[in-house]
Amino acid sequence: MSTKYVYFFGDGKGEGNGKMKELLGGKGANLAEMVNIGLPVPAGFTITTETCTHFYANNKQFPAELKAQVEEAIKKIEKAMGAELGSKTNPLLVSCRSGARESMPGMMDTVLNIGLNDETVLALAKQSGNERFAWDSYRRFVQMYGDVVLDLKPRSKTERDPFEHALEHKKEKAGVQEDNQLSVAQLKELVQEFKDLIKDRTGKSFPTDPMEQVWGAVGAVFGSWGNDRAVVYRRTYGIPHEWGTAANVQAMVFGNLGDDCATGVALTRDCAIGTPGFCGDYLINAQGEDVVAGIRTPLRIEETLSKDMPKSYEQLDEIGKKLEKHFKEVQDIEFTIQRNKVWMLQTRNAKRTGFAAVRIAVDFLEEGLIDEKEMLQKRRLPADDLNQLLQPIFDPAAKKQADKEGRLLAKGITAGPGAASGKIVFFAEDAERMHEKDPKTDLILVRRETSPEDLRGMKAAKGILTALGGASSHAALVSRQMGKACIVGCGALNIDYDKGTITVGSKVLKAGDFLSMDGFTGEVFEGKVTTKPSEVIQVLINKTMKPEESEVFRRFDKLMKIADKHRKLRVRTNADLPNQAEEAISFGAEGIGLCRTEHMFFDHLDEIREMIVADNLEHREKALAKLLPFQRKDFAGLFKAMDGKPVTIRLIDPPLHEFLSDAHLESDPKLAEKLSKWSGKSVEDVKKRVEELHEFNPMLGHRGCRLGIVYPEITRMQARAIFEAAVEVQKAGAKVFPEVMVPLAGFATEFKNQEKIIRETAEKVFKETGTKVEYMVGTMIEIPRAAVRADQIAENAEFFSFGTNDLTQTTLGMSRDDYGPFIGFYRENDIIGNDPFQQIDQDGVGELMKIGVERGRKVKSKLKIGICGEHGGDPSSVMFCHRIGLDYVSCSPFRVPIARLAAAQAAVEG
Ligand code: PEP
Ligand code: MG
């Protein structure tokens, strides 16, 4: 049997359905689904994603069976719509649009009005009774076909689109402002000029045969899966290149036949901040692409459509409700109103800010549309997006000042929440370059409108500001998804790319000047306006707001509590100081998974350096005795802050030269002398000792437990500080639970060596103080040997914690400090899908983790196992940790809420 490449929808029935996204893409599957639930959809068919993969695997050739299947489906559209492709009396026009499994807004190509030629245009004119409309449609078609299928593009960054240029020229000559003021004769001239342009620049003639036009469009749509911006988008959002796109060929309906026609895009709820109620953009007497392209600033559906077209508004509202109930998700729809009848062209789950996602999820739950498990779904609430609730807002004092100084420049449409302040940059490639050069410089990308080519620049900028477009324009969708502050449709801005200026009234700002924007209100300010933390931060961390004062916090808190109810993994934090620990507890941390003791040393450099230059036991112990009280105090602070929650304290890990090296001596000319005085050595001997400490490859040198093994007095001092602090805090009435952790052990003997010292010291302290505390001794698993021989190590260790930073570095043989120069290239060229230091390399490092868990638990079935590398706060890594049976993840304080949600998603979705 031959493969089915084409799925028809129309006449009340779709061959596909909403579950077939892999094969039909999101758009195709949902078009079929909408037909199946009785919504008005123009007839059409979907060419499967498998066809696209075949196309790429076969040198851009279609499968042999496709031709007959497409021809048959065209016949079905003709029957359903009562029109015929190429007919000189009753012509059918179709569109061809892309549609991947996951939506990639604006990244791929579309062709509209296919089927028009010098003859069918006359029929369309007659049939519609609107000659201007027919010729304008033809003009648009030739332009789009030339651009998308025949690849007629501007030749440089500054050259204008040649079609647009011709159009502007025509309008100037005709003395009119708008496209729709051109006469039929002028449109006819334009069609000819466009055709000539195509011939001149490409050497090809514009095809007149409608079927040839269909095939050209389908090829171009499949081809656009491979264009640069689509590739960058997929890389950014982790969409596999192998998926391919579907192509949807569908009968055209027209929103530009007159004032009883319109076209629009809408959301069933606001997706910038999550407010309930239909919202969106529409244009009367316009074609769909005009809204999405952001060329004309559209009207707001919720404000004026009910007055402009009351009957259509009612139909649309009903459709919106039906869709939300059916899909259990906020929908992002495209529609056309043709002579007062609403036609649905697309529906998909709406992209939203993290800010809106939380509100919508909690509201859906409270409205009874979904249950808790549905609420927690990853696709509804990507855990990383919680970051946006922790996003900055304008500092009210600075904002007041800016208002007072009259620095408010303009107001636009809010498209992405968060306040941002930075330097103006006009071109995406400049933004990208400046960001690469200095990631600390905040940038605001200012454009007339954004196009998909601007994606890289949008990534580099803190905020995006456009003069044109509405809440559903490309800039809005993409920046919302990225969680960037974004304002669109800020019409007061007069942007001159050539001069590099923005003019607002009498004010002129140049590239590089500061600009500030508030994505919550749409306000744009000249100069800097300082930003400050979000409401969640104000309630939880700064305590400058009461919980009951913030609705944002109420929903966040409710979500977090529900996540906690469902998750199995515990979430701890990596913290070295009491205030970090307190912050983390506010974010919901259930313990400290990693306290890097050496971080505490940075406040006591003199003492640690004295210990380092000592070259005998007596001197070292003398210096260590000075460090002991500081460490004890720090540990006591942590124990108090954690109030009985487990605290994993890791013994010193880094190579000693991090505290004292040639570079330190060079930058502080008095240091050698000071060290000579403390140690009783000559300055020369001090320098010699420092030289001895130099290592060629310090990450694989004398570090980790190797230090405590060669210098047991260091371990003794640290263990004493831990247990004395624990006893002190316990005696004061608080609970303590220290977990002493040995770093970088690879051999069971290394661990045993350190464990013995730790336990002996504990016993000594307990005897001296007459108090015992409960504690555990465990190890990090951060070199491959430790994972492989986890069984031997588990004989003695009471817990494991995967140090995936070092485990990644040692497994991949890739230095965690030196991988920067090539990782970008690796990712761009698909050598490695993700940055392995951010997301666990599950096939490599992950396999070792699995081995470590299995072998460790074979010896001790209840062995407590966690992770404390940076990956502990990365959602996909957290989900992996859940799957391999870890007990907890540990991450930086601000990532704790993200890890809590990801852990719940792992439990709910498996
Ligand atoms: C690790 O290696 O993953 C770890 C947590 O230790 P550090 O980052 O301090 O080397
Ligand atoms: Mg490490």
Side-chain angles (χ1 to χ4, degrees):
M1 231 184 76
S2 73
T3 314
K4 183 168 173 62
Y5 289 108
V6 173
Y7 286 72
F8 175 75
F9 53 85
D11 262 347
K13 174 106 190 69
E15 288 185 311
N17 63 54
K19 294 201 174 70
M20 295 169 71
K21 293 201 169 65
E22 285 184 22
L23 189 64
L24 303 182
K27 187 191 288 265
N30 279 354
L31 281 169
E33 186 77 12
M34 283 198 289
V35 172
N36 290 336
I37 62 171
L39 294 182
V41 176
F45 60 87
T46 305
I47 307 179
T48 63
T49 54
E50 275 176 6
T51 321
C52 182
T53 29
H54 177 285
F55 180 77
Y56 277 98
N58 291 278
N59 203 19
K60 303 204 172 172
Q61 298 298 311
F62 297 122
E65 303 99 305
L66 189 66
K67 189 165 179 279
Q69 293 185 23
V70 165
E71 282 169 1
E72 192 194 325
I74 294 261
K75 291 226 163 61
K76 285 190 190 165
I77 304 183
E78 289 176 337
K79 188 165 161 268
M81 302 304 288
E84 208 179 302
L85 198 67
S87 160
K88 289 176 195 147
T89 51
N90 185 20
L92 169 74
L93 302 190
V94 294
S95 62
C96 181
R97 298 169 202 259
S98 60
R101 231 188 267 191
E102 268 182 38
S103 88
M104 296 168 48
M107 297 300 136
M108 288 181 285
D109 290 333
T110 292
V111 187
L112 303 175
N113 297 337
I114 301 165
L116 280 174
N117 56 30
D118 292 349
E119 286 164 336
T120 53
V121 70
L122 302 177
L124 184 67
K126 202 160 166 205
Q127 220 182 18
S128 63
N130 187 335
E131 201 183 6
R132 225 205 71 79
F133 150 77
W135 280 96
D136 189 46
S137 302
Y138 194 18
R139 184 275 297 175
R140 286 167 185 261
F141 174 48
V142 180
Q143 176 169 354
M144 210 170 213
Y145 201 90
D147 183 14
V148 171
V149 185
L150 304 172
D151 207 22
L152 199 141
K153 295 259 158 61
R155 282 181 286 218
S156 71
K157 175 168 110 176
T158 46
E159 193 205 35
R160 304 189 42 203
D161 179 310
F163 292 119
E164 284 300 324
H165 184 74
L167 180 63
E168 286 304 317
H169 186 69
K170 183 71 55 194
K171 283 195 287 190
E172 250 170 56
K173 235 174 95 188
V176 298
Q177 301 285 324
E178 303 287 335
D179 300 1
N180 60 13
Q181 291 170 310
L182 288 171
S183 69
V184 171
Q186 285 154 347
L187 288 167
K188 283 182 182 172
E189 282 165 24
L190 262 181
V191 167
Q192 194 51 50
E193 283 167 31
F194 284 1
K195 285 185 186 168
D196 293 345
L197 249 174
I198 290 172
K199 182 86 189 163
D200 269 9
R201 290 220 182 170
T202 68
K204 292 176 218 159
S205 297
F206 174 76
T208 52
D209 171 25
M211 222 35 222
E212 190 186 338
Q213 294 170 354
V214 170
W215 287 112
V218 172
V221 164
F222 283 155
S224 69
W225 174 256
N227 72 28
D228 180 57
R229 61 183 193 254
V231 173
V232 173
Y233 188 92
R234 289 201 290 277
R235 205 170 281 133
T236 308
Y237 293 104
I239 299 173
H241 298 311
E242 315 78 73
W243 279 3
T245 181
N248 298 287
V249 176
Q250 190 178 19
M252 289 289 303
V253 281
F254 296 98
N256 55 344
L257 276 171
D259 285 348
D260 54 355
C261 301
T263 182
V265 281
L267 301 165
T268 51
R269 301 186 186 213
D270 167 83
C271 284
I273 53 175
T275 329
F278 219 86
C279 78
D281 305 320
Y282 72 103
L283 286 170
I284 290 183
N285 196 8
Q287 223 178 253
E289 301 312 297
D290 299 346
V291 183
V292 185
I295 297 164
R296 272 164 65 186
T297 300
L299 305 165
R300 302 290 300 165
I301 291 177
E302 63 278 23
E303 286 168 10
T304 45
L305 186 67
S306 60
K307 285 175 226 130
D308 285 347
M309 302 175 114
K311 252 182 68 195
S312 305
Y313 179 79
E314 245 172 61
Q315 284 174 56
L316 195 63
D317 197 41
E318 210 170 286
I319 290 171
K321 290 203 177 96
K322 192 165 179 179
L323 284 170
E324 234 184 42
K325 213 161 169 192
H326 181 76
F327 287 101
K328 297 184 170 199
E329 261 291 17
V330 179
Q331 295 298 296
D332 172 344
I333 62 172
E334 283 180 25
F335 64 91
T336 285
I337 302 173
Q338 180 173 303
R339 307 238 143 101
N340 292 318
K341 177 176 164 58
V342 177
W343 288 94
M344 293 298 295
L345 300 181
Q346 169 159 307
T347 192
R348 61 186 174 201
N349 294 341
K351 303 228 186 266
R352 64 210 78 171
T353 62
F355 206 81
V358 171
R359 171 153 193 182
I360 291 167
V362 175
D363 286 357
F364 263 50
L365 178 79
E366 291 176 351
E367 287 167 28
L369 285 169
I370 51 173
D371 63 20
E372 286 185 359
K373 285 190 176 168
E374 281 170 323
M375 181 188 84
L376 289 170
Q377 278 165 355
K378 193 170 81 177
R379 62 169 175 75
R380 194 182 292 278
L381 279 172
D384 253 337
D385 286 3
L386 279 186
N387 264 327
Q388 292 171 36
L389 265 81
L390 316 171
Q391 286 256 345
I393 54 177
F394 275 149
D395 174 2
K399 159 90 170 29
K400 215 165 167 189
Q401 186 65 17
D403 280 333
K404 215 167 111 194
E405 290 167 5
R407 288 201 274 130
L408 178 67
L409 275 181
K411 221 169 156 183
I413 297 166
T414 56
S421 197
K423 288 184 175 172
I424 297 169
V425 55
F426 290 107
F427 296 105
E429 52 272 40
D430 294 345
E432 197 184 16
R433 190 177 36 74
M434 285 163 79
H435 181 69
E436 253 167 37
K437 208 165 139 213
D438 179 12
K440 286 209 185 89
T441 302
D442 293 340
L443 302 169
I444 307 284
L445 181 67
V446 184
R447 303 278 306 157
R448 278 200 207 110
E449 76 256 342
T450 67
S451 75
E453 279 87 0
D454 295 327
L455 187 70
R456 287 167 187 268
M458 294 172 78
K459 278 171 80 177
K462 269 256 165 342
I464 294 116
L465 173 62
T466 68
L468 302 171
S472 320
S473 62
H474 175 262
L477 291 183
V478 176
S479 53
R480 216 178 275 152
Q481 201 178 333
M482 286 182 179
K484 307 253 174 188
C486 179
I487 297 174
V488 295
C490 195
L493 308 182
N494 199 331
I495 299 167
D496 187 328
Y497 292 140
D498 292 333
K499 288 197 194 129
T501 56
I502 306 172
T503 311
V504 185
S506 59
K507 287 196 175 137
V508 182
L509 277 79
K510 299 185 299 303
D513 287 351
F514 269 91
L515 190 80
S516 302
M517 52 186 280
D518 186 345
F520 293 107
T521 63
E523 290 170 309
V524 181
F525 293 89
E526 185 187 357
K528 271 191 205 174
V529 181
T530 6
T531 54
K532 63 174 268 188
S534 76
E535 285 186 20
V536 173
I537 298 297
Q538 289 185 60
V539 173
L540 284 180
I541 307 297
N542 304 348
K543 318 262 191 268
T544 46
M545 226 175 160
K546 294 201 186 86
E548 60 276 17
E549 286 170 353
S550 170
E551 267 298 302
V552 175
F553 176 75
R554 182 189 77 75
R555 291 194 179 87
F556 169 80
D557 194 46
K558 180 160 184 173
L559 168 67
M560 286 290 109
K561 287 192 173 123
I562 293 172
D564 290 347
K565 202 165 105 187
H566 289 271
R567 72 184 154 93
K568 303 256 177 340
L569 273 174
R570 302 217 145 238
V571 178
R572 296 194 189 186
T573 193
N574 294 354
D576 315 316
L577 301 167
N579 72 322
Q580 283 175 5
E582 278 159 18
E583 228 168 67
I585 289 180
S586 305
F587 282 130
E590 297 164 288
I592 290 180
L594 175 64
C595 162
R596 293 176 165 103
T597 48
E598 62 272 11
H599 288 184
M600 298 167 156
F601 291 159
F602 284 109
D603 285 338
H604 307 291
L605 275 178
D606 288 352
E607 291 79 5
I608 186 95
R609 283 171 173 165
E610 194 177 335
M611 192 263 304
I612 292 169
V613 285
D615 55 4
N616 63 50
L617 180 64
E618 191 194 335
H619 279 154
R620 231 176 350 259
E621 282 190 328
K622 216 172 98 202
L624 285 166
K626 290 188 198 168
L627 277 170
L628 175 75
F630 297 123
Q631 289 248 284
R632 186 171 51 223
K633 186 162 163 270
D634 287 339
F635 294 143
L638 274 187
F639 291 140
K640 270 187 224 147
M642 295 312 287
D643 193 23
K645 295 185 176 70
V647 178
T648 307
I649 298 176
R650 184 183 68 186
L651 303 178
I652 187 168
D653 180 12
L656 295 179
H657 85 277
E658 284 196 11
F659 303 101
L660 185 59
S661 66
D662 275 348
H664 293 110
L665 292 183
E666 266 167 39
S667 65
D668 179 357
K670 297 231 172 78
L671 185 58
E673 243 170 70
K674 266 203 278 182
L675 289 169
S676 148
K677 218 189 279 157
W678 292 333
S679 62
K681 285 182 183 196
S682 68
V683 168
E684 281 316 299
D685 283 347
V686 165
K687 287 187 176 162
K688 225 155 115 208
R689 173 80 181 134
V690 172
E691 231 166 75
E692 274 166 27
L693 285 170
H694 176 80
E695 293 176 310
F696 285 105
N697 201 346
M699 272 307 201
L700 301 177
H702 196 183
R703 59 166 289 212
C705 62
R706 298 161 197 168
L707 285 171
I709 291 170
V710 175
Y711 303 126
E713 52 281 9
I714 301 182
T715 303
R716 231 174 271 132
M717 181 281 285
Q718 290 203 289
R720 176 166 281 279
I722 294 168
F723 292 112
E724 286 184 356
V727 165
E728 181 188 311
V729 174
Q730 186 169 286
K731 272 188 173 168
K735 279 201 210 144
V736 278
F737 191 65
E739 298 172 340
V740 186
M741 183 156 75
V742 176
L744 216 77
F747 294 88
T749 44
E750 288 179 307
F751 176 73
K752 274 201 259 182
N753 172 292
Q754 292 291 283
E755 186 207 6
K756 186 162 175 282
I757 299 171
I758 295 162
R759 291 199 189 279
E760 279 172 3
T761 311
E763 286 312 313
K764 259 195 203 154
V765 173
F766 297 161
K767 213 163 164 192
E768 286 162 19
T769 57
T771 307
K772 271 191 175 219
V773 294
E774 254 188 86
Y775 71 97
M776 292 209 291
V777 187
T779 184
M780 297 192 70
I781 303 289
E782 52 184 345
I783 53 175
R785 194 182 196 285
V788 173
R789 284 281 66 101
D791 49 347
Q792 293 172 357
I793 296 174
E795 297 279 352
N796 290 67
E798 290 174 294
F799 67 87
F800 284 174
S801 178
F802 284 103
T804 42
N805 302 333
D806 275 314
L807 191 58
T808 301
Q809 137 163 297
T810 48
T811 302
L812 272 58
M814 193 183 274
S815 163
R816 60 198 269 190
D817 301 308
D818 299 319
Y819 79 119
F822 60 86
I823 192 70
F825 187 90
Y826 263 44
R827 293 199 57 207
E828 297 253 333
N829 290 280
D830 299 315
I831 308 282
I832 292 187
N834 298 300
D835 179 340
F837 287 97
Q838 286 182 25
Q839 282 184 24
I840 290 173
D841 155 38
Q842 295 184 13
D843 288 349
V845 175
E847 279 300 299
L848 278 172
M849 291 173 74
K850 278 196 219 161
I851 291 172
V853 172
E854 271 164 33
R855 296 191 182 172
R857 291 217 175 116
K858 208 185 263 172
V859 173
K860 264 192 194 130
S861 62
K862 297 254 157 58
L863 187 71
K864 181 149 80 163
I865 308 181
I867 175 178
C868 63
E870 285 311 299
H871 309 83
D874 163 65
S876 70
S877 308
V878 171
M879 293 182 93
F880 176 73
C881 291
H882 169 92
R883 288 201 296 278
I884 64 167
L886 298 200
D887 295 299
Y888 69 87
V889 296
S890 188
C891 55
S892 58
F894 272 66
R895 295 199 72 81
V896 167
I898 293 165
R900 284 162 74 193
L901 179 55
Q905 293 177 328
V908 168
E909 291 178 41

